[in-house]
Amino acid sequence: MSDLGHTLDRDRMPRHVAIIMDGNGRWANARGLHRTAGHARGEPALFDVVHGALELGIEWLTVYTFSTENWGRDPDEVAFLMEFNVDLLERRRDELDELGVRVIFIGDHDDERIPPAVLDRMRIAEEKTAGNTNLNMVYAFNYGSRTELAAAAKAIAQDAVAGLIDVATIDEDTIADHLYCPDMPDPDVLIRTSGEQRISNYLLWQIAYSELVFTPVLWPDFDRHELVRCIAEYQSRDRRFGGAIDGVAE
Ligand code: IPE
Ligand code: IPE
Ligand code: MG
């Protein structure tokens, strides 16, 4: 591990860090700027975190970029976010590839509201980086957990009707296997910036036993050093997974 993680416990590094990148609008408002300026300033923060994740040897980084509920925002902001994501994927694709980052998208991508150019860029980025192994960067775009779970239920029901699976065998693994990215391990830690303490329909199934870390830092002010602070907080927790507390007599 590089200098960046020298304060961290190497034996307890999270394998998967999930992030709700929140607070772009407030960051911009505080400076008298338009909300979209906050989104634009979120990009260098995200790429600093990608570099930090690579330095720390994190295997999976999942970032919430657009929720199924975000369509309810002002149409100009939604249009900006769509355009911004196309542009970002275009500009950063080669850099991510050179860093050995594999880009994966999760979310409802059959939604006709997503401009075809965005879907195109997503596909190209996924294909170009498919063989990379340094970091899996999962981009949750038009993502909502309830939509994901409903889609899983539908696919499982279709398999059952087609006689491909026996209803009696449906278990937790069946659900997990029908999520958008079945290979993705559950997050060890979920970080949310901007001081909000809620999940906002993110990875509901996958975070069953994740440690939750909330930081007041607004997303555009976040960077790899804030990431280290959040991981230190994660490492201070006692993960029990329903077991007994170590050293306490029953
Ligand atoms: C997060 O920042 C980015 C997206 C949801 C796309 P916000 O835009 O939610 O910023 P705040 O929460 O209004 O400050
Ligand atoms: C969650 O943030 C979605 C993303 C970060 C993309 P929101 O800002 O949309 O969530 P709420 O509305 O505060 O719950
Ligand atoms: Mg927000």
Side-chain angles (χ1 to χ4, degrees):
M1 203 187 301
S2 69
D3 263 9
L4 179 67
H6 74 277
T7 54
L8 297 174
D9 179 347
R10 285 157 196 262
D11 297 329
R12 295 193 59 205
M13 287 302 292
R15 184 173 175 216
H16 181 179
V17 174
I19 308 184
I20 301 177
M21 308 183 291
D22 198 15
N24 295 351
R26 276 163 284 169
W27 185 93
N29 285 342
R31 288 160 180 78
L33 301 170
H34 194 265
R35 295 176 55 80
T36 51
H39 298 315
R41 282 299 295 264
E43 180 182 336
L46 175 59
F47 281 82
D48 201 62
V49 166
V50 169
H51 281 273
L54 285 161
E55 279 184 56
L56 296 170
I58 287 162
E59 286 175 52
W60 292 79
L61 176 71
T62 301
V63 290
Y64 209 177
T65 61
F66 191 87
S67 77
T68 48
E69 287 72 33
N70 286 151
W71 293 105
R73 294 191 178 198
D74 185 274
D76 285 347
E77 185 176 350
V78 171
F80 174 88
L81 287 167
M82 291 295 146
E83 186 60 38
F84 180 62
N85 279 291
V86 178
D87 183 53
L88 185 149
L89 292 170
E90 189 84 46
R91 284 184 289 102
R92 299 283 194 163
R93 190 174 53 216
D94 292 346
E95 178 187 342
L96 289 169
D97 192 34
E98 277 157 26
L99 290 169
V101 176
R102 174 180 167 215
V103 183
I104 298 164
F105 293 87
I106 58 171
D108 177 7
H109 302 146
D110 295 329
D111 190 322
E112 288 174 1
R113 292 172 296 182
I114 304 175
V118 175
L119 295 172
D120 233 41
R121 299 305 191 293
M122 283 170 27
R123 188 183 45 75
I124 294 168
E126 269 187 341
E127 283 174 9
K128 188 171 172 68
T129 63
N132 294 339
T133 54
N134 289 349
L135 171 70
N136 297 291
M137 182 183 185
V138 185
Y139 217 89
F141 183 77
N142 197 29
Y143 178 86
S145 269
R146 290 182 171 183
T147 302
E148 178 177 41
L149 291 167
K154 194 170 170 181
I156 295 165
Q158 280 165 342
D159 284 353
V161 169
L164 297 171
I165 54 168
D166 176 356
V167 171
T169 66
I170 296 174
D171 59 11
E172 292 183 13
D173 289 340
T174 318
I175 311 269
D177 288 345
H178 285 82
L179 299 178
Y180 293 130
C181 185
D183 297 341
M184 183 175 90
D186 289 344
D188 299 293
V189 56
L190 169 65
I191 298 167
R192 183 169 189 149
T193 59
S194 87
E196 305 297 350
Q197 301 194 2
R198 55 176 169 268
I199 303 303
S200 303
N201 202 12
Y202 193 43
L203 305 174
L204 296 178
W205 174 276
Q206 296 89 334
I207 60 168
Y209 269 103
S210 304
E211 294 297 328
L212 308 181
V213 173
F214 299 105
T215 165
V217 176
L218 302 174
W219 178 254
D221 292 328
F222 201 85
D223 62 10
R224 67 184 86 184
H225 303 288
E226 295 295 339
L227 175 67
V228 168
R229 280 186 203 105
C230 291
I231 293 175
E233 159 125 26
Y234 158 79
Q235 291 188 337
S236 75
R237 307 275 179 85
D238 177 19
R239 296 188 82 182
R240 293 205 286 274
F241 299 99
I245 302 173
D246 280 349
V248 175
E250 288 177 25

